[in-house]
Amino acid sequence: MSFSWERPSRLSGAGAARRGGALDYRPGGRAQQKAVKSISKEQRQEIKEAFDIFDSEGTGKMDYHELKVAIRAMGFEIKKPEALELMSRYDTDESGYINFEAFEQILAQRYAAQDPVEEMKKAFQLFDEERRGKISFRTLRRIARDLGERLNDDELQGMIEEFDLNQDGEIDEEEFINIMKQTALY
């Protein structure tokens, strides 16, 4: 089954110009190479695994639909016009497909664009199971265990005491961010 898509017209100079301090992410450009180099080994492995899963025919390439689903599966938002623009930008031979290198560049840019503090806020919301704006000692212990941090109860209680600025015995969002910044997870 083949999918036909129209190549969106490029805005005059949009691909080549820096707009508002934005980096130029043309295929093979310096900003792209820097983004790919900045991702961790784990992120690179996740990108490879996602590509392999969504390269449904095992051809070493991915079409528009596979790209869109794979990006969403990696936890990033993408709308149809953006996916079409990515295909236009990275499908240099106009085959309707992109290869792994292009996919890796796309995801590396998304990882590089993430704001670590915003990611920590999202993590806090996941761990604030009761939606009270607080994380209890018990929940903090489970978080540490789930993240593979080997901390005993005394160390966890010490974290609460050290970072519990309002002295309520629990960790709020600001305190959680301060803890995360002190760990290897930041």
Side-chain angles (χ1 to χ4, degrees), residues 2 9 27 42 56 63 83-84 103-104 106 108 118 123 148 155-156:
S2 75
S9 65
E42 291 81 14
S56 58
D63 69 16
L84 290 171
F103 182 71
E104 182 179 42
I106 291 166
E118 283 303 312
E155 291 170 315
L156 289 170

Side-chain angles (χ1 to χ4, degrees), residues 4 59 144:
S4 170
T59 60

Side-chain angles (χ1 to χ4, degrees), residues 15-16 18 23-38 89-90 92 101-102 104-106 108-109:
R18 290 159 86 61
L23 293 174
D24 177 6
Y25 281 108
R26 287 177 291 175
R30 271 196 254 149
Q32 276 188 337
Q33 293 166 358
K34 185 177 179 182
V36 170
K37 288 180 182 177
S38 72
R89 190 180 320 157
Y90 288 93
T92 55
E101 289 75 23
E104 182 179 42
Q105 289 175 1
I106 291 166
Q109 290 167 28

